[in-house]
Amino acid sequence: MGFPEEAIPAQVAKNLVVECGIPPRTAWRLASELSLDVAAHQYNAVTGDPRAGMRGTRIWEYEQWPERGVRPTVAALRVLARVYGTSWKCLLGLRDLEQLPAKDLAEYHAEPDTPVAVAAPEPEAAPSARTPVRAEGRAEEEIGAGALDDAILLTKTNVDDVQLDDLWADLDFLGGAYTRTAPDSILGQLAVIADRTAALLKGRQRPKQTQDLLLVGAKSSAMMAWIAGDLGRYRRSRELNSAAWLYTQYADDRLARRWVRTSQARVAFWAGNGIESAKLAADGLSYHVGGRLTDAPLILAEARGWSSVRAEGQVLDAIARWTAIEDPGLGAGGEDSFFNITKDRRHYMAGNSLLSVGQASAALREFTTAREAFEQLSLENRWEAMDPMIRIDTGRAHLRLDDLEGAAAQVGPLLDAGVGKQPDMVRAMLKLMATELSGPRWRSVRTARNLSEALLDAHASARP
């Protein structure tokens, strides 16, 4: 049709968007005749660091946004635009603009519509070698002559904003995926992030970049500790939490300290150290961060820790503090969704603590709320372990109220369906209920004995 060769990709991309309804980022990649992996390779080449870490899967996630996937940063869009031979603004459609943060949208409107040609990365000039010279042997004009060169070395960095944004985006994605993905899989992916972060920290960064890497290290280690605890690997959990705490000490960040204390309190409780769990949670509450990670998870962890030693006064005090701040509208999502537990889990923790100090009726009310909140969640935001845990503890509450039939009705569907692979705490709760059914109150009742045996069988099969 007479178009010059260099204009053809733009025409193809325009046609794919207008005629085929393909989103702009996908359209430009297809028009450039690049696969996801080749586009990622060229992205890394443009940044000047083939190890920058861009992957075809991440570019695919960028292309899925805003319906799902991951929001690309402006910096990432600029690099992709160089790969595709266009301007970064051409990689955004109206649906993208509706979801852009205000700062990015302002940058979009402030920049003129000027296509950018593909630019090959320029090789970085090697720093000139300088031989140290004794100060007294220098001429006066030589003194301080190398100070500027030495200061410029501080600008050399092995990390850029795109890499940092990718690390944070990966953490946020994995935090949200944990409710619907096998724990071992998430643990392995987090380990990759942790290893990559540690490797980057061995290089040279600007101070702010170093702090960001330390925070990524703290959060990834705390998340790994949490998940390792769910799998019953408590020794590894403690090691990971210790690593996370070291990262926070060097980062000197209050929010990071909250992440780690939340994980430490959880792991300590399920490892059988209730008082330690309560004290760790209380210390976490001393780091005020202004809403990004709410007080609720730590207060409830404190209550649960004290409940393990039947400290009723401390439990009721903590539950009262939580009730005063409970936000029914706080749901899944957000950058701290991994630690900001959902409503069903908050009410379950409250009920579990109340049940442990003999408040069976109050516990039942909390479990009922937990069940309702769980069923209102979308399937992707439900934590699979929550259903059996609510059923088991609701059954235990019925036992405390001398209602064996009600207890059987709660756990019966769970046993009929099969427990399957579950986190370590589900196995612990199955064994606890079986033990309670074997106590003096129910020992002579055939129904109780049969139910106890079924729970023990489920406990044996519920490997994490």
Side-chain angles (χ1 to χ4, degrees), residues 38-60:
V38 172
H41 176 76
Q42 293 194 16
Y43 182 107
N44 292 331
V46 168
T47 64
D49 182 2
R51 300 169 301 171
M54 180 55 69
R55 306 179 303 279
T57 53
R58 173 45 53 91
I59 290 180
W60 180 85

Side-chain angles (χ1 to χ4, degrees), residues 381-458:
N381 287 323
R382 290 181 181 181
W383 186 39
E384 184 184 14
M386 203 70 260
D387 177 66
M389 292 181 74
I390 293 172
R391 287 188 176 279
I392 294 166
D393 268 1
T394 303
R396 293 178 58 225
H398 280 288
L399 288 180
R400 297 288 179 87
L401 297 171
D402 285 335
D403 182 8
L404 179 60
E405 184 178 343
Q410 285 295 322
V411 298
L414 173 65
L415 299 174
D416 291 343
V419 176
K421 291 185 177 181
Q422 291 292 345
D424 191 66
M425 64 277 300
V426 174
R427 298 180 64 243
M429 300 310 296
L430 286 165
K431 188 172 183 180
L432 178 60
M433 186 174 182
T435 301
E436 292 175 349
L437 283 164
S438 300
R441 172 66 181 86
W442 303 107
R443 187 178 301 155
S444 60
V445 181
R446 181 185 296 274
T447 303
R449 291 200 303 271
N450 292 340
L451 186 56
S452 177
E453 290 173 2
L455 288 165
L456 288 174
D457 288 343

Side-chain angles (χ1 to χ4, degrees), residues 170-400:
D170 284 343
L171 279 181
D172 294 342
F173 173 78
L174 292 174
Y178 182 51
T179 58
R180 57 185 184 276
T181 308
D184 268 321
S185 173
I186 299 295
L187 196 58
Q189 294 177 73
L190 285 170
V192 172
I193 294 175
D195 290 346
R196 184 178 166 198
T197 301
L200 289 170
L201 280 167
K202 293 175 182 177
R204 181 193 294 275
Q205 306 92 35
R206 289 186 284 275
K208 178 62 172 65
Q209 294 173 327
T210 300
Q211 186 186 40
D212 279 345
L213 287 172
L214 291 170
L215 292 175
V216 171
K219 190 168 189 177
S220 59
S221 296
M223 290 169 68
M224 284 193 292
W226 179 301
I227 296 170
D230 286 356
L231 294 170
R233 304 169 190 172
Y234 297 116
R235 180 176 178 179
R236 180 55 53 85
S237 291
R238 287 190 289 270
E239 292 174 353
L240 288 164
N241 271 328
S242 294
W245 188 253
L246 281 174
Y247 278 122
T248 68
Q249 293 294 77
Y250 283 100
D252 192 22
D253 185 88
R254 288 176 173 269
L255 178 60
R257 289 190 173 102
R258 278 208 165 197
W259 293 332
V260 182
R261 287 300 192 227
T262 303
S263 178
Q264 287 175 323
R266 175 184 174 85
V267 171
F269 175 80
W270 289 111
N273 303 316
I275 294 178
E276 179 189 357
S277 174
K279 291 181 176 179
L280 287 166
D283 183 68
L285 288 166
S286 68
Y287 301 108
H288 303 291
V289 295
R292 285 182 62 190
L293 181 57
T294 67
D295 288 348
L298 284 165
I299 293 175
L300 289 168
E302 185 183 354
R304 187 170 60 179
W306 287 121
S307 74
S308 68
V309 292
R310 309 291 191 272
E312 184 174 5
Q314 288 94 326
V315 170
L316 295 180
D317 172 72
I319 295 296
R321 284 186 281 129
W322 165 69
T323 302
I325 66 162
E326 168 61 9
D327 179 7
L330 180 65
E335 61 186 330
D336 284 321
S337 60
F338 186 87
F339 297 105
N340 272 327
I341 54 177
T342 48
K343 180 179 178 181
D344 57 321
R345 295 165 72 179
R346 297 195 301 273
H347 284 272
Y348 168 77
M349 287 181 69
N352 178 267
S353 300
L354 290 167
L355 182 61
S356 296
V357 294
Q359 302 284 332
S361 296
L364 264 181
R365 290 193 293 272
E366 297 297 341
F367 294 143
T368 299
T369 303
R371 165 63 56 191
E372 293 170 351
F374 176 80
E375 292 176 349
Q376 289 170 4
L377 286 172
S378 62
L379 292 177
E380 67 176 11
N381 287 323
R382 290 181 181 181
W383 186 39
E384 184 184 14
M386 203 70 260
D387 177 66
M389 292 181 74
I390 293 172
R391 287 188 176 279
I392 294 166
D393 268 1
T394 303
R396 293 178 58 225
H398 280 288
L399 288 180
R400 297 288 179 87

Side-chain angles (χ1 to χ4, degrees), residues 16-38:
L16 290 173
V17 172
V18 174
E19 301 295 335
C20 305
I22 294 177
R25 290 179 292 287
T26 305
W28 270 99
R29 178 175 58 78
L30 295 175
S32 302
E33 299 183 322
L34 298 177
S35 69
L36 289 166
D37 288 339
V38 172

